[in-house]
Amino acid sequence: MQPTTNAADAPPSAVVATVQKQSVGRVLNLNVTVSQSTRPLAVNVHSGVVTSVAGSGTTKQGDVLYRVGNHPVVAIMGTMPFYRTLTTGDKGTDVAQLRRALVAQKLLRSPGKKFDGATYSALRAWQKRLGVESTGRLELGDAVAIAKLPAGLSLDRKLLRKGLVLNGGEKVVSGRVGQPSFALVVGQEQAKLIPSSATLTMTYKGAAWKAVIADSTVTANGETQLALTAPGGGAVCGKKCGLVSGDKDLYVPAEVQIVPPVSGPAVPVAAVTTNADGTASVTIIGDDGRSLPRTVTVKGSQDGVAVVDGVTVGERVQVLAAPEPSASPNR
């Protein structure tokens, strides 16, 4: 009284596929995190109420970082800290840094190490442009020396906020040091898809970078962090790291090549047989219907398709063999 169970359907004859030219390869589109260490570059000297703070982005020579009591603190390129008030008659490296900044502002014709009358007049013109009293003196705390400009600087926005009071001594300006580091942070499932040999391609502000995986670690929350380097070692950004040396971490779009691209004659993966000696082969079906095994080399595969060497586009390969004829039951 129970229904009969049907046997699995079997193909009535062999399944054959025609070799076609095809490309295989697989790419994941993910974001790479670019980060860089920071260190304090300057200590605030002024006391008073913060009246303005510069926005995020790249700081250039002469840019105003923040204002205390509407008094500007500017960024000037140089390695010598501004440790004193500069006025007419002074000489030294700090004066040379100020003069170069005035030249950049097109207020002084030539650099130099002496605070002369031309420097005095140029500084007064700059102060007028900044909207402060034209004293012709650079007071202590009015300038911050930055080794290289333009640069991405970090301002302590917990302290530098309109209306807050500074007392002097606050470390409010930090800068990036060293080379930027590139890392790909992925979940456990994505990590399984990415082989250690994967290559990454990034494009950022007109620059194109290649990267490879240098190291892999598991974070405290269970994610996988893949440290990236240039194919030959070193920073991924090479000579253009200034593009990513901002005041905060960046997220750069990247293509992760998890299956290397390859093109050529393609057959169904099911048509490829792995032999006992480790070689691969397919069964070629001739025009006369005869089958002939042929050794091939698998160059790449994806989604059930394999690109192989050893066959020609237009040939036919056997995917499934015809079923064996059923034996007659004994009477």
Side-chain angles (χ1 to χ4, degrees):
M1 300 295 292
Q2 295 179 346
T4 58
T5 302
N6 293 327
D9 293 333
S13 60
V15 177
V16 177
T18 301
V19 179
Q20 298 180 349
K21 185 175 182 179
Q22 195 167 333
S23 298
V24 299
R26 188 175 180 185
V27 171
L28 291 179
N29 293 302
L30 301 172
N31 287 327
V32 170
T33 303
V34 185
S35 57
Q36 200 171 0
S37 300
T38 62
R39 70 178 179 189
L41 296 180
V43 175
N44 172 63
V45 174
H46 296 299
S47 60
V49 176
V50 177
T51 51
S52 71
V53 183
S56 60
T58 302
T59 301
K60 303 183 296 296
Q61 174 85 295
D63 281 355
V64 176
L65 298 174
Y66 62 96
R67 290 176 182 257
V68 178
N70 206 36
H71 199 85
V73 177
V74 299
I76 292 180
M77 187 165 69
T79 56
M80 171 65 73
F82 288 99
Y83 62 95
R84 57 177 176 167
T85 295
L86 297 180
T87 188
T88 305
D90 288 335
K91 298 180 181 180
T93 302
D94 50 354
V95 174
Q97 293 173 172
L98 170 62
R99 287 187 59 130
R100 283 196 295 270
L102 292 170
V103 171
Q105 296 296 317
K106 302 187 183 303
L107 297 171
L108 192 64
R109 290 185 176 180
S110 61
K113 288 190 174 182
K114 184 177 180 180
F115 198 124
D116 55 13
T119 308
Y120 171 83
S121 299
L123 182 55
R124 288 194 64 193
W126 193 15
Q127 290 171 328
K128 182 178 180 181
R129 182 185 296 175
L130 293 172
V132 296
E133 183 181 0
S134 301
T135 63
R137 294 161 49 95
L138 185 70
E139 301 291 341
L140 178 63
D142 285 359
V144 172
I146 307 297
K148 185 178 180 179
L149 291 173
L153 303 181
S154 298
L155 303 180
D156 189 337
R157 299 186 184 277
K158 293 181 179 179
L159 297 174
L160 291 177
R161 287 192 295 169
K162 283 185 178 182
L164 294 186
V165 177
L166 299 180
N167 297 313
E170 298 87 356
K171 298 177 181 179
V172 294
V173 181
S174 298
R176 302 274 171 158
V177 295
Q179 295 282 8
S181 62
F182 290 68
L184 183 63
V185 180
V186 295
Q188 294 181 1
E189 294 304 315
Q190 285 181 321
K192 294 177 183 178
L193 297 174
I194 303 174
S196 59
S197 60
T199 59
L200 295 87
T201 303
M202 285 162 275
T203 303
Y204 185 73
K205 292 185 177 180
W209 298 316
K210 294 283 187 181
V212 295
I213 299 173
D215 191 18
S216 175
T217 57
V218 178
T219 64
N221 59 3
E223 294 181 313
T224 299
Q225 178 170 299
L226 304 174
L228 307 177
T229 65
V236 172
C237 46
K239 297 181 179 180
K240 294 187 177 181
C241 288
L243 294 175
V244 294
S245 295
D247 61 347
K248 57 184 178 181
D249 290 350
L250 296 175
Y251 299 94
V252 178
E255 289 187 348
V256 185
Q257 190 77 54
I258 60 176
V259 177
V262 62
S263 298
V267 301
V269 170
V272 182
T273 300
T274 302
N275 304 314
D277 59 0
T279 61
S281 64
V282 298
T283 299
I284 300 294
I285 305 299
D287 293 338
D288 57 2
R290 294 183 179 182
S291 61
L292 177 67
R294 184 183 298 174
T295 300
V296 296
T297 301
V298 179
K299 298 171 62 181
S301 64
Q302 178 196 357
D303 298 334
V305 176
V307 173
V308 299
D309 278 338
V311 296
T312 304
V313 173
E315 288 187 309
R316 296 186 303 157
V317 296
Q318 179 177 284
V319 181
L320 293 175
E324 296 292 335
S326 300
S328 300
N330 294 325
R331 294 291 182 181

